[in-house]
Amino acid sequence: MLTQRGEEVRQDVCLPMPDFVVAANPCQTMGLWASSLGRLCKVPTFIIDVPPPVDYTEDEFERNTQYIMREYKELITFLEEQTKKSFDYDKLKEILKLVKEGAILRKKSMDMCVVSPSPQSFFDCLISLGPSHALRGTPPAVEYYVKLVKEMEERVAKGIGVIPNEKYRLYWDHLPIWFKVGALSEFLGSYGAVVVCGIYTHGMFYSEAEMIDVDRPIWSLSAELAHYGCCLDARYRMNKIKEFVEKFHLDGLIMHSSRTCRPMNLGQYDILKWAERNLGIPGVMIDGDPTDPNYYSDAQTQTRIQAFVETMEVRKRTAVR
């Protein structure tokens, strides 16, 4: 296999070559990745189009779900043609049952972050997404989350927090800056700040597991994508942030402005102003990217976070008086 630049790719360090590519585009970048992969590998590609929400009403949600369901049915035909096998709906129900079990347990582990000190952080929740991403719908994933819930319960019972001096509880907007997860966690911790929730972990990936209807597997898969797309809507995020502020007793918001997943940047400044005006909490905007370090600066980020922490400290002192 050759890249577009004509460079040969070593097969011993790559995943096996695909026979076909299947993806969805709740974020347009994901669809572009899949299209590029299909072209580079010269294999058939099927991309499920996810319509962005406009008003996020029940009617719109159901309309978008039905739209995606039609695409899933086309995908099933595509898969049957590619594999020369009939689609197994009973197997899909079995897998979805495990998906629901894992999602309920993952949410239970995150809900324990309402306790102060928080037994885990948003950054920990990012790491524990691994089984949900790579092993979703399998017994090992469910077993992992059973153990995670048990560990969180033990930490809560013993009063063990992420850091020993929790002072500020924060929210993270947008995707994480993956290559700075550890460094940002430690830097915030040095100021007694813990990010306890974020839209990526708490608002996606079957975060509303009760929506899953095992007896309606295609509807459930479609509804998850229709719901996932709502995370691109600023008004939806405002409602979720209000819910998080009240539930997790938040002191501030960190808004990550990404350079390569731009749709979720829309409305971030409006959200900051809205939170200040309606929720009475400050926020900070930091520039970065989930994967490209060229768009990130340690010095700039640390300076902004330091000023942000000072603002929260002043507010706490004022509130005490």
Side-chain angles (χ1 to χ4, degrees):
M1 172 185 172
L2 298 178
T3 67
Q4 288 180 325
R5 297 178 180 177
E7 302 164 339
E8 187 172 356
V9 177
R10 287 177 52 193
Q11 293 300 309
D12 60 330
V13 295
C14 295
L15 293 170
M17 287 287 288
D19 295 304
F20 52 88
V21 174
V22 175
N25 68 346
C27 172
Q28 67 204 36
T29 307
M30 297 168 69
L32 295 172
W33 285 342
S35 296
S36 298
L37 183 61
R39 289 196 304 273
L40 287 170
C41 298
K42 299 179 180 179
V43 296
T45 302
F46 192 102
I47 300 173
I48 294 176
D49 179 50
V50 180
V54 178
D55 297 315
Y56 194 57
T57 61
E58 287 299 322
D59 288 343
E60 182 189 64
F61 171 74
E62 188 58 37
R63 183 171 64 249
N64 289 351
T65 299
Q66 293 296 325
Y67 173 82
I68 297 170
M69 281 183 70
R70 292 193 291 272
E71 294 185 279
Y72 263 114
K73 291 175 181 177
E74 293 176 9
L75 171 60
I76 289 172
T77 300
F78 172 83
L79 293 174
E80 289 178 332
E81 291 173 351
Q82 296 299 318
T83 63
K84 311 302 180 187
K85 296 179 181 179
S86 298
F87 192 80
D88 190 340
Y89 284 90
D90 291 332
K91 181 65 175 178
L92 178 60
K93 289 182 180 181
E94 292 175 13
I95 293 172
L96 200 60
K97 182 175 182 292
L98 293 172
V99 170
K100 186 170 185 176
E101 289 179 21
I104 289 172
L105 289 165
R106 187 176 78 87
K107 185 175 186 297
K108 185 176 181 180
S109 74
M110 294 189 298
D111 282 347
M112 281 183 267
C113 294
V114 298
V115 176
S116 181
S118 178
Q120 64 176 336
S121 71
F122 164 75
F123 300 110
D124 297 315
C125 294
L126 290 173
I127 303 306
S128 63
L129 270 174
S132 176
H133 284 358
L135 298 172
R136 184 181 298 167
T138 67
V142 176
E143 292 166 9
Y144 172 90
Y145 290 115
V146 167
K147 293 179 180 178
L148 179 61
V149 168
K150 182 179 179 181
E151 180 183 344
M152 292 303 106
E153 288 174 339
E154 290 175 353
R155 292 177 69 89
V156 168
K158 296 177 181 178
I160 301 174
V162 179
I163 57 176
N165 61 330
E166 180 183 295
K167 293 178 63 179
Y168 311 108
R169 298 168 61 83
L170 309 175
Y171 160 88
W172 182 282
D173 195 68
H174 213 306
L175 276 72
I177 303 173
W178 285 109
F179 55 91
K180 285 292 178 178
V181 164
L184 283 170
S185 179
E186 292 176 359
F187 183 73
L188 287 164
S190 69
Y191 288 95
V194 178
V195 182
V196 296
C197 63
I199 197 69
Y200 188 74
T201 50
H202 292 62
M204 301 185 190
F205 313 117
Y206 295 98
S207 58
E208 297 185 17
E210 65 277 3
M211 288 175 55
I212 300 174
D213 186 344
V214 176
D215 293 324
R216 294 196 295 165
I218 302 301
W219 182 90
S220 296
L221 293 172
S222 303
E224 167 63 10
L225 277 180
H227 173 262
Y228 183 98
C230 295
C231 294
L232 307 182
D233 179 75
R235 283 171 294 181
Y236 170 82
R237 296 219 302 282
M238 288 176 184
N239 289 330
K240 292 299 291 185
I241 288 170
K242 184 176 185 296
E243 174 188 321
F244 292 151
V245 168
E246 295 171 352
K247 180 176 180 179
F248 294 101
H249 313 292
L250 302 181
D251 299 299
L253 314 177
I254 296 179
M255 314 297 283
H256 167 215
S257 179
S258 168
R259 289 299 173 268
T260 58
C261 191
R262 292 182 180 275
M264 282 183 69
N265 295 346
L266 296 175
Q268 284 186 319
Y269 281 104
D270 292 328
I271 291 173
L272 283 179
K273 293 177 182 177
W274 167 84
E276 177 81 33
R277 183 171 59 252
N278 294 279
L279 305 179
I281 61 173
V284 62
M285 185 78 71
I286 63 173
D287 297 311
D289 188 78
T291 58
D292 192 339
N294 291 315
Y295 296 115
Y296 177 84
S297 165
D298 272 325
Q300 183 187 76
T301 300
Q302 291 175 7
T303 298
R304 292 181 182 180
I305 289 177
Q306 287 169 344
F308 173 52
V309 170
E310 289 173 5
T311 299
M312 289 191 293
E313 178 62 26
V314 169
R315 299 211 174 188
K316 277 188 175 290
R317 291 176 183 171
T318 303
V320 171
R321 293 175 186 174

